[in-house]
Amino acid sequence: MVSLDISKAYDTVWKHRVLSTLQKWNFKGNILKFINNFLTDRTFEVKAGHTLSSTFETENGLPQGSSISVTLFLIAINDISKNTDPPVNTILNADDCNIYCSGSNIKTTYSLIQKAINNVMQWSAETGFQFSPSKCKSVLFTHQRKIKAPEIKMQEKTLPNTNSLCLLGIIFDHKLNWKEHIKKLKTNAAKKLNIIKSVSHFKWGADRKTLLILHNALVQSTLDYGSTIYSLANSNTLKILNTVQNAGIKMAIGAFRSSPVDSLLCEAHCLPLDKRQKFLITKYAIKKMSTPQTLMTEIISKPNHEHSSKIKPFHIKLHEILDEISFNIKNIQTIESISTIPHGTPTI
Protein backbone atom coordinates (compact mmCIF):
# COMPACT_ATOMS: atom_id res chain seq x y z
CA MET A 1 0.00 0.00 0.00
CA VAL A 2 1.16 3.51 -0.82
CA SER A 3 -0.12 6.55 1.07
CA LEU A 4 -0.06 9.69 -1.08
CA ASP A 5 0.32 13.16 0.38
CA ILE A 6 -1.06 16.08 -1.64
CA SER A 7 0.89 19.29 -1.07
CA LYS A 8 -1.32 22.29 -0.27
CA ALA A 9 -4.39 20.31 -1.33
CA TYR A 10 -7.01 23.07 -1.18
CA ASP A 11 -4.68 25.82 -2.43
CA THR A 12 -3.78 24.01 -5.67
CA VAL A 13 -7.30 23.29 -6.93
CA TRP A 14 -7.92 24.83 -10.36
CA LYS A 15 -11.17 26.77 -10.43
CA HIS A 16 -11.89 26.04 -14.07
CA ARG A 17 -11.44 22.32 -13.37
CA VAL A 18 -14.24 22.36 -10.79
CA LEU A 19 -16.55 24.28 -13.12
CA SER A 20 -15.77 22.12 -16.15
CA THR A 21 -16.36 18.94 -14.13
CA LEU A 22 -19.75 20.23 -13.00
CA GLN A 23 -20.64 21.05 -16.60
CA LYS A 24 -19.73 17.49 -17.63
CA TRP A 25 -22.08 16.26 -14.91
CA ASN A 26 -24.84 18.34 -16.52
CA PHE A 27 -24.95 21.01 -13.82
CA LYS A 28 -26.33 24.28 -15.16
CA GLY A 29 -28.42 27.24 -14.24
CA ASN A 30 -28.29 29.09 -10.93
CA ILE A 31 -26.28 26.43 -9.07
CA LEU A 32 -23.42 26.73 -11.57
CA LYS A 33 -23.58 30.52 -11.42
CA PHE A 34 -23.50 30.42 -7.64
CA ILE A 35 -20.37 28.24 -7.57
CA ASN A 36 -18.72 30.39 -10.23
CA ASN A 37 -19.39 33.54 -8.18
CA PHE A 38 -18.15 31.75 -5.07
CA LEU A 39 -14.79 30.96 -6.69
CA THR A 40 -14.09 34.18 -8.61
CA ASP A 41 -12.93 37.59 -7.38
CA ARG A 42 -11.73 36.30 -4.02
CA THR A 43 -9.12 38.37 -2.17
CA PHE A 44 -7.13 38.02 1.04
CA GLU A 45 -5.04 40.12 3.40
CA VAL A 46 -2.48 39.24 6.07
CA LYS A 47 -2.46 40.99 9.45
CA ALA A 48 0.58 40.94 11.76
CA GLY A 49 -0.03 42.82 14.99
CA HIS A 50 -1.54 46.17 13.95
CA THR A 51 -0.10 46.04 10.42
CA LEU A 52 -2.29 44.99 7.49
CA SER A 53 -0.79 43.88 4.18
CA SER A 54 -1.93 44.83 0.72
CA THR A 55 -4.89 43.06 -0.86
CA PHE A 56 -4.09 40.09 -3.09
CA GLU A 57 -6.36 38.14 -5.42
CA THR A 58 -6.46 34.33 -5.28
CA GLU A 59 -6.03 32.94 -8.77
CA ASN A 60 -6.53 29.31 -7.74
CA GLY A 61 -7.53 27.31 -4.71
CA LEU A 62 -10.59 26.88 -2.53
CA PRO A 63 -11.32 28.97 0.59
CA GLN A 64 -10.66 26.83 3.66
CA GLY A 65 -13.28 26.88 6.38
CA SER A 66 -16.27 27.00 4.05
CA SER A 67 -18.67 24.06 4.14
CA ILE A 68 -18.98 23.91 0.36
CA SER A 69 -15.19 23.83 -0.17
CA VAL A 70 -14.98 20.19 0.92
CA THR A 71 -17.54 19.16 -1.68
CA LEU A 72 -15.83 21.18 -4.41
CA PHE A 73 -12.47 19.61 -3.52
CA LEU A 74 -13.94 16.12 -3.80
CA ILE A 75 -15.34 17.06 -7.22
CA ALA A 76 -11.88 18.16 -8.36
CA ILE A 77 -10.05 15.05 -7.12
CA ASN A 78 -12.77 12.46 -7.70
CA ASP A 79 -11.37 11.02 -10.96
CA ILE A 80 -7.96 10.11 -9.49
CA SER A 81 -9.22 6.54 -9.06
CA LYS A 82 -9.66 6.22 -12.83
CA ASN A 83 -5.88 6.16 -13.20
CA THR A 84 -5.53 2.77 -11.51
CA ASP A 85 -6.46 -0.45 -13.29
CA PRO A 86 -7.41 -3.71 -11.52
CA PRO A 87 -6.03 -5.42 -9.51
CA VAL A 88 -4.76 -2.06 -8.18
CA ASN A 89 -7.37 -0.21 -6.13
CA THR A 90 -7.70 3.29 -4.69
CA ILE A 91 -9.05 4.43 -1.33
CA LEU A 92 -9.98 8.12 -1.33
CA ASN A 93 -11.12 10.00 1.79
CA ALA A 94 -11.05 13.75 1.11
CA ASP A 95 -7.33 14.55 0.59
CA ASP A 96 -6.15 11.16 1.94
CA CYS A 97 -5.41 8.94 -1.04
CA ASN A 98 -4.10 5.39 -0.73
CA ILE A 99 -3.22 2.94 -3.52
CA TYR A 100 -3.02 -0.76 -2.75
CA CYS A 101 -2.65 -4.09 -4.50
CA SER A 102 -2.51 -7.68 -3.22
CA GLY A 103 -0.82 -10.69 -4.75
CA SER A 104 1.40 -13.70 -4.13
CA ASN A 105 4.32 -12.43 -6.22
CA ILE A 106 5.91 -9.36 -4.66
CA LYS A 107 7.79 -8.22 -7.76
CA THR A 108 4.66 -8.36 -9.92
CA THR A 109 2.60 -6.57 -7.26
CA TYR A 110 5.14 -3.78 -6.91
CA SER A 111 5.40 -3.35 -10.69
CA LEU A 112 1.62 -2.84 -10.81
CA ILE A 113 1.84 -0.31 -7.97
CA GLN A 114 4.67 1.53 -9.73
CA LYS A 115 2.62 1.70 -12.94
CA ALA A 116 -0.31 3.14 -11.00
CA ILE A 117 1.98 5.73 -9.36
CA ASN A 118 3.25 6.80 -12.78
CA ASN A 119 -0.33 7.22 -14.02
CA VAL A 120 -1.24 9.27 -10.95
CA MET A 121 1.78 11.53 -11.51
CA GLN A 122 0.67 12.12 -15.09
CA TRP A 123 -2.82 12.91 -13.80
CA SER A 124 -1.38 15.42 -11.31
CA ALA A 125 0.48 17.21 -14.10
CA GLU A 126 -2.79 17.59 -16.01
CA THR A 127 -4.90 18.68 -13.03
CA GLY A 128 -2.51 20.95 -11.11
CA PHE A 129 -2.26 18.82 -7.96
CA GLN A 130 1.19 18.20 -6.53
CA PHE A 131 2.42 15.28 -4.44
CA SER A 132 5.18 15.42 -1.87
CA PRO A 133 7.45 12.34 -2.28
CA SER A 134 9.10 12.92 1.12
CA LYS A 135 5.72 12.69 2.90
CA CYS A 136 4.37 9.77 0.86
CA LYS A 137 4.88 6.34 2.43
CA SER A 138 4.71 2.71 1.40
CA VAL A 139 4.17 -0.41 3.49
CA LEU A 140 4.35 -4.11 2.65
CA PHE A 141 1.76 -6.23 4.47
CA THR A 142 3.17 -9.74 4.85
CA HIS A 143 3.78 -12.42 7.46
CA GLN A 144 7.00 -13.53 5.79
CA ARG A 145 10.21 -12.80 7.64
CA LYS A 146 13.41 -11.25 6.34
CA ILE A 147 11.84 -10.01 3.15
CA LYS A 148 13.01 -6.80 1.53
CA ALA A 149 10.38 -4.55 0.02
CA PRO A 150 11.18 -3.37 -3.53
CA GLU A 151 11.57 0.35 -4.10
CA ILE A 152 8.72 2.52 -5.35
CA LYS A 153 9.73 5.77 -7.01
CA MET A 154 7.91 9.04 -7.48
CA GLN A 155 9.50 11.90 -9.41
CA GLU A 156 12.76 9.89 -9.45
CA LYS A 157 12.73 9.77 -5.63
CA THR A 158 12.35 6.56 -3.64
CA LEU A 159 9.36 6.56 -1.31
CA PRO A 160 10.22 5.70 2.31
CA ASN A 161 9.08 2.24 3.40
CA THR A 162 7.55 2.00 6.89
CA ASN A 163 6.29 -0.79 9.14
CA SER A 164 2.95 0.88 9.83
CA LEU A 165 0.49 3.28 8.25
CA CYS A 166 -2.22 5.40 9.86
CA LEU A 167 -5.46 5.45 7.90
CA LEU A 168 -8.42 7.41 9.31
CA GLY A 169 -7.03 7.13 12.82
CA ILE A 170 -6.39 3.37 12.64
CA ILE A 171 -2.79 2.13 12.58
CA PHE A 172 -2.19 -0.71 10.11
CA ASP A 173 1.07 -2.50 10.95
CA HIS A 174 2.89 -4.61 8.36
CA LYS A 175 1.90 -7.89 10.05
CA LEU A 176 -1.71 -6.79 10.65
CA ASN A 177 -1.59 -8.01 14.26
CA TRP A 178 -2.95 -4.60 15.48
CA LYS A 179 -0.57 -4.46 18.45
CA GLU A 180 0.67 -0.96 17.64
CA HIS A 181 -2.86 0.40 17.21
CA ILE A 182 -4.15 -1.21 20.42
CA LYS A 183 -1.23 0.19 22.45
CA LYS A 184 -1.88 3.65 21.01
CA LEU A 185 -5.60 3.25 21.67
CA LYS A 186 -4.95 2.35 25.31
CA THR A 187 -2.77 5.44 25.75
CA ASN A 188 -5.37 7.78 24.22
CA ALA A 189 -8.25 6.28 26.22
CA ALA A 190 -6.24 6.36 29.47
CA LYS A 191 -5.65 10.10 29.04
CA LYS A 192 -9.41 10.67 28.91
CA LEU A 193 -9.80 8.94 32.26
CA ASN A 194 -8.29 12.06 33.84
CA ILE A 195 -11.40 14.02 32.83
CA ILE A 196 -13.64 11.57 34.67
CA LYS A 197 -11.25 11.56 37.61
CA SER A 198 -11.31 15.35 37.89
CA VAL A 199 -15.12 15.48 38.31
CA SER A 200 -15.64 12.30 40.35
CA HIS A 201 -14.85 13.52 43.86
CA PHE A 202 -17.00 11.77 46.48
CA LYS A 203 -17.94 15.07 48.21
CA TRP A 204 -18.49 17.60 45.44
CA GLY A 205 -18.21 15.48 42.28
CA ALA A 206 -20.85 14.68 39.68
CA ASP A 207 -23.45 11.97 40.26
CA ARG A 208 -23.21 8.43 38.93
CA LYS A 209 -25.46 9.03 35.91
CA THR A 210 -23.37 11.99 34.70
CA LEU A 211 -20.11 10.10 35.19
CA LEU A 212 -21.39 7.11 33.23
CA ILE A 213 -22.41 9.44 30.40
CA LEU A 214 -18.87 10.88 30.45
CA HIS A 215 -17.41 7.37 30.40
CA ASN A 216 -19.50 6.35 27.39
CA ALA A 217 -18.80 9.60 25.54
CA LEU A 218 -15.05 9.75 26.19
CA VAL A 219 -13.66 6.29 26.92
CA GLN A 220 -16.16 3.81 25.48
CA SER A 221 -16.53 5.72 22.20
CA THR A 222 -12.74 5.74 21.80
CA LEU A 223 -12.58 1.97 22.31
CA ASP A 224 -15.51 1.40 19.92
CA TYR A 225 -14.01 3.33 17.00
CA GLY A 226 -12.57 0.86 14.52
CA SER A 227 -13.30 -2.12 16.80
CA THR A 228 -14.82 -4.07 13.89
CA ILE A 229 -11.30 -4.13 12.42
CA TYR A 230 -8.84 -4.25 15.30
CA SER A 231 -10.93 -6.83 17.20
CA LEU A 232 -9.54 -9.37 14.71
CA ALA A 233 -6.35 -9.27 16.79
CA ASN A 234 -5.27 -12.02 19.15
CA SER A 235 -7.40 -12.30 22.29
CA ASN A 236 -4.38 -11.78 24.55
CA THR A 237 -3.61 -8.52 22.75
CA LEU A 238 -7.20 -7.30 23.11
CA LYS A 239 -7.14 -7.87 26.87
CA ILE A 240 -4.89 -4.80 27.16
CA LEU A 241 -7.96 -2.59 26.68
CA ASN A 242 -9.99 -4.22 29.46
CA THR A 243 -8.08 -2.33 32.15
CA VAL A 244 -9.03 1.03 30.62
CA GLN A 245 -12.73 0.18 30.42
CA ASN A 246 -12.79 -1.22 33.96
CA ALA A 247 -10.94 1.81 35.37
CA GLY A 248 -13.46 4.21 33.77
CA ILE A 249 -16.43 2.27 35.17
CA LYS A 250 -14.89 2.13 38.66
CA MET A 251 -14.49 5.91 38.68
CA ALA A 252 -18.02 6.44 37.36
CA ILE A 253 -19.85 4.29 39.90
CA GLY A 254 -17.44 4.93 42.78
CA ALA A 255 -16.46 1.29 43.26
CA PHE A 256 -13.44 -0.03 45.15
CA ARG A 257 -10.38 -1.16 43.22
CA SER A 258 -10.92 -4.71 44.49
CA SER A 259 -14.51 -4.87 43.20
CA PRO A 260 -15.21 -7.85 40.89
CA VAL A 261 -15.28 -6.92 37.21
CA ASP A 262 -18.56 -8.76 36.53
CA SER A 263 -20.27 -6.80 39.30
CA LEU A 264 -18.94 -3.52 37.90
CA LEU A 265 -20.27 -4.24 34.42
CA CYS A 266 -23.64 -5.33 35.77
CA GLU A 267 -23.93 -2.23 37.96
CA ALA A 268 -23.01 0.09 35.06
CA HIS A 269 -25.17 -1.79 32.50
CA CYS A 270 -22.14 -2.26 30.24
CA LEU A 271 -21.14 -5.25 28.14
CA PRO A 272 -17.68 -6.81 28.53
CA LEU A 273 -15.35 -5.50 25.86
CA ASP A 274 -15.16 -8.77 23.92
CA LYS A 275 -18.97 -9.12 23.90
CA ARG A 276 -19.39 -5.51 22.79
CA GLN A 277 -16.92 -6.02 19.95
CA LYS A 278 -18.88 -9.04 18.77
CA PHE A 279 -22.08 -6.99 18.96
CA LEU A 280 -20.56 -4.18 16.85
CA ILE A 281 -19.22 -6.67 14.27
CA THR A 282 -22.65 -8.30 13.94
CA LYS A 283 -24.39 -4.91 13.73
CA TYR A 284 -21.99 -3.78 10.99
CA ALA A 285 -22.46 -7.00 9.00
CA ILE A 286 -26.27 -6.78 9.21
CA LYS A 287 -26.17 -3.18 8.01
CA LYS A 288 -23.99 -4.10 5.03
CA MET A 289 -26.04 -7.17 4.11
CA SER A 290 -29.20 -5.04 4.01
CA THR A 291 -27.62 -2.96 1.20
CA PRO A 292 -26.55 -5.51 -1.45
CA GLN A 293 -24.15 -5.16 -4.39
CA THR A 294 -21.24 -3.87 -2.35
CA LEU A 295 -17.72 -5.24 -1.93
CA MET A 296 -18.31 -5.81 1.78
CA THR A 297 -21.38 -7.92 1.00
CA GLU A 298 -19.23 -10.30 -1.06
CA ILE A 299 -16.68 -10.57 1.76
CA ILE A 300 -19.34 -11.28 4.38
CA SER A 301 -21.00 -13.89 2.15
CA LYS A 302 -17.80 -15.94 1.82
CA PRO A 303 -18.20 -19.47 3.19
CA ASN A 304 -16.64 -20.25 6.55
CA HIS A 305 -13.64 -22.59 6.58
CA GLU A 306 -10.75 -23.57 8.81
CA HIS A 307 -7.98 -21.01 9.18
CA SER A 308 -4.62 -21.86 10.73
CA SER A 309 -3.51 -18.31 11.53
CA LYS A 310 -4.12 -16.85 15.01
CA ILE A 311 -5.46 -13.68 13.38
CA LYS A 312 -8.56 -14.69 11.45
CA PRO A 313 -10.06 -12.78 8.50
CA PHE A 314 -13.20 -10.72 9.10
CA HIS A 315 -15.66 -13.09 7.44
CA ILE A 316 -14.40 -16.11 9.39
CA LYS A 317 -14.69 -14.36 12.76
CA LEU A 318 -18.13 -13.07 11.76
CA HIS A 319 -19.39 -16.56 10.93
CA GLU A 320 -18.03 -17.86 14.25
CA ILE A 321 -20.01 -15.16 16.07
CA LEU A 322 -23.16 -15.94 14.07
CA ASP A 323 -22.80 -19.68 14.77
CA GLU A 324 -22.42 -18.87 18.45
CA ILE A 325 -25.81 -17.10 18.51
CA SER A 326 -27.41 -19.41 15.90
CA PHE A 327 -28.16 -16.60 13.48
CA ASN A 328 -28.32 -16.98 9.69
CA ILE A 329 -27.22 -13.74 8.08
CA LYS A 330 -28.75 -14.74 4.72
CA ASN A 331 -32.21 -14.22 6.24
CA ILE A 332 -31.68 -10.45 6.40
CA GLN A 333 -34.11 -8.58 4.17
CA THR A 334 -32.44 -6.18 1.75
CA ILE A 335 -33.45 -2.56 1.36
CA GLU A 336 -34.66 -1.68 -2.11
CA SER A 337 -32.79 1.21 -3.68
CA ILE A 338 -34.79 4.24 -4.78
CA SER A 339 -34.47 4.75 -8.54
CA THR A 340 -36.14 8.17 -8.63
CA ILE A 341 -35.81 11.22 -6.40
CA PRO A 342 -38.84 11.27 -4.02
CA HIS A 343 -39.30 15.03 -4.17
CA GLY A 344 -38.80 15.20 -7.92
CA THR A 345 -36.22 17.05 -10.00
CA PRO A 346 -36.31 20.83 -9.52
CA THR A 347 -36.71 22.99 -12.61
CA ILE A 348 -34.08 25.71 -12.97
Side-chain angles (χ1 to χ4, degrees), residues 36-54:
N36 184 33
N37 294 334
F38 176 77
L39 296 176
T40 55
D41 297 331
R42 300 195 68 92
T43 59
F44 69 94
E45 298 174 335
V46 179
K47 186 176 182 180
H50 298 286
T51 306
L52 191 65
S53 70
S54 303

Side-chain angles (χ1 to χ4, degrees), residues 87-88 101-115 150:
V88 181
C101 180
S102 62
S104 57
N105 190 301
I106 294 179
K107 290 185 178 180
T108 303
T109 304
Y110 266 75
S111 63
L112 292 171
I113 289 284
Q114 184 63 64
K115 181 181 177 182

Side-chain angles (χ1 to χ4, degrees), residues 70-89:
V70 180
T71 305
L72 296 180
F73 177 80
L74 293 176
I75 292 172
I77 201 176
N78 184 61
D79 60 346
I80 189 175
S81 58
K82 296 180 180 179
N83 296 273
T84 57
D85 301 322
V88 181
N89 297 290

Side-chain angles (χ1 to χ4, degrees), residues 73-74 91-98 167-168:
F73 177 80
L74 293 176
I91 302 175
L92 184 62
N93 296 287
D95 59 342
D96 293 331
C97 182
N98 299 273
L167 181 60
L168 295 179

Side-chain angles (χ1 to χ4, degrees), residues 2 7 24 39 49 52 60 67 70 78-79 87 109 121 141 176 191 213 262 284 295 308 314:
V2 177
S7 302
K24 291 179 182 178
L39 296 176
L52 191 65
N60 287 308
S67 58
V70 180
N78 184 61
D79 60 346
T109 304
M121 293 307 300
F141 297 107
L176 291 179
K191 290 179 181 178
I213 292 174
D262 293 338
Y284 174 78
L295 178 61
S308 59
F314 177 83

Side-chain angles (χ1 to χ4, degrees), residues 283-294 296-297 300:
K283 182 180 178 181
Y284 174 78
I286 292 174
K287 180 180 178 181
K288 289 300 177 183
M289 288 298 292
S290 63
T291 55
Q293 299 179 353
T294 61
M296 203 64 206
T297 305
I300 294 173

Side-chain angles (χ1 to χ4, degrees), residues 146-267:
K146 297 180 180 180
I147 185 171
K148 185 179 180 181
E151 294 181 349
I152 296 179
K153 293 190 176 182
M154 175 185 289
Q155 297 177 350
E156 299 182 356
K157 295 181 180 179
T158 303
L159 300 183
N161 187 270
T162 60
N163 291 329
S164 61
L165 202 65
C166 186
L167 181 60
L168 295 179
I170 300 178
I171 301 175
F172 292 77
D173 57 273
H174 69 289
K175 291 185 178 180
L176 291 179
N177 54 25
W178 308 105
K179 288 184 178 180
E180 187 175 350
H181 174 73
I182 290 174
K183 290 180 180 179
K184 183 69 175 178
L185 186 63
K186 180 184 177 182
T187 303
N188 293 338
K191 290 179 181 178
K192 296 181 179 181
L193 290 176
N194 295 329
I195 301 176
I196 302 177
K197 188 176 181 179
S198 63
V199 295
S200 60
H201 197 274
F202 71 96
K203 289 185 177 179
W204 47 262
D207 57 9
R208 174 185 293 192
K209 183 178 179 181
T210 304
L211 292 175
L212 283 174
I213 292 174
L214 281 175
H215 167 76
N216 292 329
L218 298 175
V219 180
Q220 193 65 58
S221 62
T222 303
L223 299 177
D224 287 347
Y225 179 74
S227 62
T228 52
I229 300 177
Y230 76 75
S231 60
L232 302 176
N234 187 278
S235 58
N236 292 329
T237 306
L238 291 171
K239 288 180 181 178
I240 299 174
L241 301 175
N242 290 340
T243 56
V244 181
Q245 185 195 38
N246 297 338
I249 294 176
K250 286 178 183 179
M251 292 181 187
I253 66 176
F256 294 106
R257 292 186 178 181
S258 58
S259 300
V261 175
D262 293 338
S263 300
L264 291 174
L265 296 173
C266 182
E267 190 73 20

